[in-house]
Amino acid sequence: MPIPEDVTGDEIDKDVRQELQSLPKTLAEDVARNLVMVARLIDEDPEGAYGYSRVALRLASRVAAVREAAGFAAYANQKYSEALAEFRAARRMTGSVELWPVMADCERGLGRPEKALDMAGAPEVHKLDKAGQVEMRLVAAGARRDMGQLDAAIVTLQSPELASSSVQPWTARLRYAYADALLAADRVNEAREWFAKAVEADRDGSTDASDRLAELDGVEFVDALNDEDQDEEPDTDLADDADDVDESEDSPAETETGSESAAKTTTDIAPADEPDADTGSDAGSEADKD
């Protein structure tokens, strides 16, 4: 697959670069450039990222970083079985538990929420850092929802990290998940509160909390550009009315005497209808997550 000339391979993380040192120099550079493309495309073009990950995998399947990148590319394309296999391979090579939460989420993707819950209670979870533990909590709550256990999902998300006022990298997503679970349980007012808190914490736009909040509040967004285009169009109805007036003035057969016209005017005009009063929609409720 073609790689832009500006991609040198030096953009990769130093730890990954160190892993690639086991490869011949030219091969290491090729692998590094493909890994850079995976990172560049995985959010906006998952299929493209997947293609580059397969190239890197063919070139260096015994490098843990390559197996991990291939796993995330497959995961982004909802190829959960393939992703799980790659994550397991990377974990065997490194011995790290870092991928444990995403492996559990792959089990969810494969329709095995019970397995994901088993992993959430495994000893490996205690070895995760704070971010990993929060991620595991999100996966466990998702598994509960998969099983129709909404109340259990809400309880699962209730944690010191959720209650904390400090903003961490995971805060917006955690608050968002909690808000979404509350909304699913028809606890609308609480959901609105937590969607609003998610908006406060979502500094990089990682969630659509603001859209969800606006939806609950009944806010509709209007395309201003289209409105301007419509305003610029000539008012054909007014032009037609003007033509009709001109024609009536030029036609003697259709003119009326002043008294006849006044009489007709007073009888033809009906009382104006009272305008309907629009009532504002009730505000919903929002909430939070990272």
Side-chain angles (χ1 to χ4, degrees):
M1 297 181 67
I3 298 178
E5 294 182 0
D6 66 316
V7 176
T8 65
D10 294 335
E11 301 90 339
I12 62 174
D13 184 82
K14 62 179 182 180
D15 292 334
V16 177
R17 189 181 301 112
Q18 187 174 357
E19 280 192 63
L20 296 179
Q21 288 180 354
S22 61
L23 303 174
K25 187 175 185 297
T26 302
L27 179 59
E29 291 175 353
D30 289 342
V31 174
R33 296 180 72 205
N34 279 280
L35 292 180
V36 171
M37 293 305 298
V38 173
R40 279 191 178 186
L41 299 176
I42 196 164
D43 291 329
E44 298 181 358
D45 182 11
E47 290 186 6
Y50 179 77
Y52 285 105
S53 75
R54 301 308 296 177
V55 174
L57 195 59
R58 287 197 300 269
L59 295 174
S61 62
R62 295 188 178 184
V63 176
V66 172
R67 303 301 290 267
E68 183 176 330
F72 277 110
Y75 179 81
N77 285 275
Q78 300 182 0
K79 299 177 182 291
Y80 298 117
S81 181
E82 184 178 325
L84 185 57
E86 297 299 341
F87 290 143
R88 285 173 174 168
R91 182 168 179 266
R92 285 195 300 269
M93 293 177 179
T94 63
S96 172
V97 297
E98 184 181 21
L99 295 171
W100 196 254
V102 71
M103 290 169 62
D105 206 39
C106 285
E107 295 288 359
R108 283 187 60 213
L110 291 169
R112 302 192 290 249
E114 298 88 352
K115 178 62 176 176
L117 288 176
D118 289 343
M119 294 180 68
E124 285 82 354
V125 175
H126 300 294
K127 301 176 183 178
L128 294 168
D129 60 12
K130 180 61 67 176
Q133 291 179 3
V134 171
E135 194 66 34
M136 193 72 248
R137 189 178 293 276
L138 289 169
V139 173
R144 291 291 185 188
R145 291 189 62 173
D146 292 343
M147 299 167 67
Q149 301 173 1
L150 281 177
D151 291 339
I154 291 171
V155 172
T156 298
L157 293 169
Q158 293 171 345
S159 62
E161 294 80 18
L162 179 66
S164 175
S165 59
S166 66
V167 175
Q168 303 295 334
W170 61 77
T171 302
R173 292 180 58 242
L174 182 59
R175 293 177 178 179
Y176 182 96
Y178 189 58
D180 194 48
L182 288 169
L183 188 60
D186 292 328
R187 294 164 60 174
V188 180
N189 291 333
E190 294 172 87
R192 188 202 177 284
E193 175 188 352
W194 282 97
F195 273 126
K197 290 182 178 180
V199 171
E200 294 175 0
D202 195 0
R203 297 167 179 170
D204 59 357
S206 61
T207 73
D208 64 345
S210 60
D211 293 338
R212 300 292 298 277
L213 183 61
E215 181 180 354
L216 285 176
D217 286 344
V219 176
E220 295 184 4
F221 297 98
V222 178
D223 191 336
L225 182 59
N226 288 342
D227 287 348
E228 291 177 0
D229 291 342
Q230 292 176 1
D231 290 342
E232 292 176 359
E233 294 179 358
D235 194 334
T236 55
D237 291 339
L238 291 178
D240 292 341
D241 291 344
D243 292 340
D244 291 342
V245 171
D246 292 341
E247 291 176 0
S248 64
E249 291 178 349
D250 294 340
S251 178
E254 296 179 4
T255 59
E256 298 174 330
T257 66
S259 58
E260 291 174 336
S261 177
K264 185 172 183 179
T265 301
T266 56
T267 56
D268 287 350
I269 297 179
D273 293 335
E274 291 295 330
D276 294 333
D278 292 336
T279 56
S281 58
D282 294 337
S285 262
E286 288 269 320
D288 183 53
K289 163 178 180 182
D290 171 332

